[in-house]
Amino acid sequence: FAGNADPEAYLDWEIVVDQKFKSHLVPEEHRIRLATIEFTGFVLFWWSDLCDNNNATALPQTWTALKQCMKSCFVPPYYKLDLRLKLQHLNQGSKSVEKYYQELLVGLARCDIH
């Protein structure tokens, strides 16, 4: 993840990393280290600054805490509201059933609706 201004890029990255952790049975104590070594671009500087300016106890201690911290930084508060509104108004129109279903599933996943 590069930390660009696209909230969907972050949410997609989070889903991919969650899937990798589950499929490789990565223990919780290794998840933050493994996720952060993949940082590039702005998020690498953001993480370095966070590590340099906080004592070790102020840093996220779990993968869940890191995801919450990153969401607060890389996903604007209005994003979920906008996405929920988009989901409420989603219609098939001229799309195939498969394309409509894919948009629905992606939207639900990004809104964290199960």
Side-chain angles (χ1 to χ4, degrees), residues 89-101:
H89 295 100
L90 183 66
N91 61 40
Q92 184 177 349
S94 62
K95 294 176 240 170
S96 69
V97 172
E98 184 62 30
K99 181 68 176 166
Y100 171 75
Y101 182 67

Side-chain angles (χ1 to χ4, degrees), residues 5-76:
D6 179 10
E8 291 180 0
Y10 167 74
L11 295 170
D12 290 348
W13 174 82
E14 182 184 294
I15 290 169
V16 167
V17 173
D18 273 332
Q19 181 60 37
K20 287 180 180 180
F21 288 164
K22 288 176 189 170
S23 66
H24 292 288
L25 305 172
V26 175
E28 179 63 42
E29 63 267 16
H30 299 300
R31 291 181 179 195
I32 290 178
R33 184 172 36 88
L34 290 172
T36 57
I37 62 171
E38 296 296 321
F39 287 168
T40 62
F42 173 74
V43 77
L44 179 60
F45 293 100
W46 171 82
W47 180 248
S48 294
D49 186 56
L50 197 65
C51 291
D52 292 344
N53 293 326
N54 290 301
N55 60 33
T57 58
L59 289 172
Q61 299 297 309
T62 65
W63 170 235
T64 300
L66 178 60
K67 290 190 298 186
Q68 290 170 346
C69 183
M70 291 181 74
K71 274 183 189 171
S72 70
C73 186
F74 299 107
V75 180

Side-chain angles (χ1 to χ4, degrees), residues 76-88 111:
Y78 62 83
Y79 176 78
K80 271 198 177 179
L81 178 61
D82 288 351
L83 191 54
R84 285 178 185 260
L85 288 171
K86 182 180 172 185
L87 279 171
Q88 285 178 334
C111 278

